[in-house]
């Protein structure tokens, strides 16, 4: 008789905009079960529990005190990440936290220290680099299809959050902005493919200082911008590859690619790294046309459908690590990506090239179907 997969019981802290995306994604994995939801507004937690048939709901203290909860998924706003992650770790829970791992590098160091002291595993978004798209690009690089990687470009355009999010203030406050909101997806893809970054030079600025909110269910009419909304940076990877990035909430319309990686023998074009799957195209120097590479691992969801908005592959990665498997979306990887992105503002403020203090291993690939 085949052994049944181990079940890992999960409590979700935060019942906001992406709560449903996590529940829907987690339900694709039979070994994962959501048993509780908590929110600072308990009425919202109750509503979420009712909508998704989750057996228990309440406040954060009840979640952390629930012995049935083994893993806490933290989807609170970034400014609360450090405090709530540390509390969950100290309560004896494994934790998976939305990106960024903390709002600042200093807070992130405290989070990593708490994880090391408590002996519990900590995982962090983004996990989209675990999907078929970035994994396919990674294999193409590792097998030499484009030769030696020389450079890369990454372009973050505005998600237009003020047009669809009921309360987009977090996008324009501490821990937000294009660099820390969307940048982690792009940088995680690049670090997974090219390895850690050694140094950063950058320039940043605020575009429009206030943003009109037009979401139909908005709770605020206007947002005051507190963080840079337009940033350009040059990243020098430890491998010697050079990355050029543009991350902006002021670029609404563009024909720029999402990510391209250039090698001595060809080029890779990657799809939106905010999604798990999509076409990875390659054109080697001798090719007349681009061709689409066959995905090297299973799809998380159907391409060009709402399934690509689901979340949870990183939680599955954490659960697998609890069972003794590789931990790819690990805290060292998340910390390094945060330090790189935080260096954009340091480079601007101090008018210098920033040498990175941290590094990380390239996560183990996911190649098999």
């Amino acid at each position: 008789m085949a052994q049944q997969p181990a079940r890992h019981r999960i409590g979700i802290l935060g019942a906001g905009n992406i709560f449903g995306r996590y529940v829907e994604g987690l339900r694709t994995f039979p070994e994962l079960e959501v048993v509780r939801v908590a929110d600072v507004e308990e009425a919202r937690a109750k509503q979420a529990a009712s909508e998704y048939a989750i057996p228990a709901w309440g406040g954060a203290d009840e979640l952390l005190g629930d012995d049935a909860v083994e893993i806490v998924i933290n989807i609170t706003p970034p400014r609360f990440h450090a405090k709530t992650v540390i509390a969950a770790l100290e309560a004896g829970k494994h934790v998976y936290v939305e990106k960024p791992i903390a709002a600042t590098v200093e807070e992130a160091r405290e989070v990593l220290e708490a994880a090391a002291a408590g002996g519990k595993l900590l995982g962090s978004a983004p996990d989209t680099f675990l999907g078929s798209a970035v994994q396919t690009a990674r294999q193409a690089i590792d097998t030499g299809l484009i030769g030696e990687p020389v450079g890369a470009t990454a372009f973050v355009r505005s998600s237009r959050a003020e047009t669809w999010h009921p309360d987009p203030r977090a996008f324009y406050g501490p821990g937000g902005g294009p660099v820390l909101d969307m940048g982690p997806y792009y940088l995680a893809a690049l670090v997974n493919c090219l390895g850690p970054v050694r140094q950063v030079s950058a320039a940043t600025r605020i575009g429009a200082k206030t943003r009109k909110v037009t979401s139909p269910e908005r709770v605020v009419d206007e947002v005051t911008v507190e963080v840079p909304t337009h940033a350009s940076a040059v990243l020098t990877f430890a491998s010697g590859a050079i990355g050029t990035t543009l991350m902006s909430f002021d670029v609404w319309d563009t024909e720029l690619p999402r990510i391209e990686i250039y090698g001595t023998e060809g080029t890779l074009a990657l799809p939106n790294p905010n999604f798990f799957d999509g076409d990875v195209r390659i054109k080697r120097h001798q090719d007349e046309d681009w061709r689409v590479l066959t995905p090297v691992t299973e799809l998380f969801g159907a391409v060009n459908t709402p399934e690509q908005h689901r979340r949870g592959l990183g939680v599955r990665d954490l659960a697998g690590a609890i069972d003794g498997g590789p931990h790819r979306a690990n805290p060292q990887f998340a910390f390094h990506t945060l330090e790189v992105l935080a260096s954009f503002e340091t480079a601007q403020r101090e008018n210098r090239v920033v040498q990175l203090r941290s590094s990380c291993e390239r996560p183990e690939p996911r190649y098999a179907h």
Side-chain angles (χ1 to χ4, degrees):
M1 180 180 295
Q3 183 178 357
Q4 294 296 314
R7 293 195 68 82
H8 296 276
R9 290 178 172 82
I10 294 167
I12 301 181
L13 179 60
N17 189 59
I18 62 171
F19 173 82
R21 299 184 189 184
Y22 268 93
V23 175
E24 292 166 3
L26 293 169
R27 286 180 174 171
T28 66
F29 305 120
E31 68 270 32
L32 305 179
E33 179 185 8
V34 179
V35 298
R36 180 179 282 275
V37 54
D39 196 273
V40 66
E41 297 181 17
E42 293 194 19
R44 185 161 60 179
K46 182 180 180 180
Q47 180 180 352
S50 175
E51 181 177 355
Y52 290 95
I54 297 169
W57 57 272
D61 290 343
E62 292 170 285
L63 186 153
L64 298 184
D66 189 342
D67 292 337
V69 173
E70 178 191 20
I71 300 171
V72 171
I73 299 176
N74 186 338
I75 54 176
T76 61
R79 66 183 183 276
F80 300 122
H81 282 183
K83 178 180 178 180
T84 50
V85 168
I86 291 172
L89 291 168
E90 291 179 344
K93 311 296 186 184
H94 302 288
V95 181
Y96 182 85
V97 61
E98 252 301 328
K99 50 81 188 165
I101 192 170
T104 67
V105 171
E106 292 73 20
E107 289 182 347
R109 289 195 181 96
E110 296 175 3
V111 169
L112 263 63
E113 290 171 359
K120 294 297 180 179
L121 293 184
L122 171 64
S124 177
D127 58 354
T128 47
F129 76 90
L130 300 174
S132 68
V134 177
Q135 293 298 315
T136 298
R138 164 78 177 266
Q139 187 188 62
I141 292 168
D142 289 352
T143 56
L145 285 182
I146 62 168
E148 179 185 353
V150 174
T153 53
F155 300 102
V156 176
R157 69 284 307 272
S158 177
S159 63
R160 307 184 184 188
E162 54 266 48
T163 67
W164 56 266
H165 198 288
D167 187 1
R169 285 175 290 186
F171 292 92
Y172 295 99
V179 175
L180 290 184
D181 177 54
M182 295 301 297
Y185 298 109
Y186 290 74
L187 191 62
L190 290 174
V191 172
N192 180 71
C193 287
L194 300 174
V197 176
R198 186 176 72 240
Q199 67 181 31
V200 174
S201 58
T204 69
R205 61 160 291 179
I206 291 176
K209 294 179 174 58
T210 59
R211 306 287 168 128
K212 183 178 180 181
V213 181
T214 58
S215 169
E217 300 178 353
R218 62 187 176 276
V219 298
V220 294
D221 293 323
E222 191 175 81
V223 173
T224 299
V225 178
E226 302 177 63
V227 294
T229 56
H230 189 88
S232 295
V234 175
L235 316 177
T236 303
F237 291 82
S239 66
I242 298 172
T244 304
T245 68
L246 170 67
M247 301 183 181
S248 180
F249 281 171
D250 297 294
V251 175
W252 278 44
D253 302 289
T254 177
E255 296 180 349
L256 291 168
R258 297 287 184 169
I259 296 176
E260 292 182 342
I261 299 175
Y262 314 107
T264 55
E265 297 180 23
T267 298
L268 287 170
L270 281 64
N272 187 347
N274 191 22
F275 300 147
F276 291 91
D277 309 293
D279 287 347
V280 176
R281 298 180 299 128
I282 187 170
K283 188 173 182 182
R284 291 168 55 82
H285 292 342
Q286 66 270 28
D287 295 340
E288 291 187 6
D289 297 305
W290 293 85
R291 64 183 174 92
V292 176
L293 295 175
T294 301
V296 299
T297 191
E298 73 284 351
L299 304 188
F300 185 54
V303 178
N304 297 324
T305 76
E307 290 183 357
Q308 284 299 313
H309 295 284
R310 299 185 305 195
R311 292 291 183 256
L313 197 53
V315 182
R316 187 193 191 196
D317 177 69
L318 175 64
I322 294 171
D323 294 335
H327 191 191
R328 301 175 179 90
N330 60 66
Q332 291 74 30
F333 182 85
F335 180 89
H336 181 66
T337 58
L338 173 62
E339 187 191 11
V340 172
L341 295 170
S343 296
F344 288 22
E345 183 61 14
T346 303
Q348 164 71 32
R349 183 178 62 252
E350 300 180 6
N351 192 29
R352 67 180 177 90
V353 175
V354 177
Q355 305 295 324
L356 277 299
R357 295 174 59 185
S358 70
S359 186
C360 67
E361 298 292 330
R362 294 170 78 205
E364 184 172 322
R366 296 179 67 241
Y367 286 165
H369 281 275

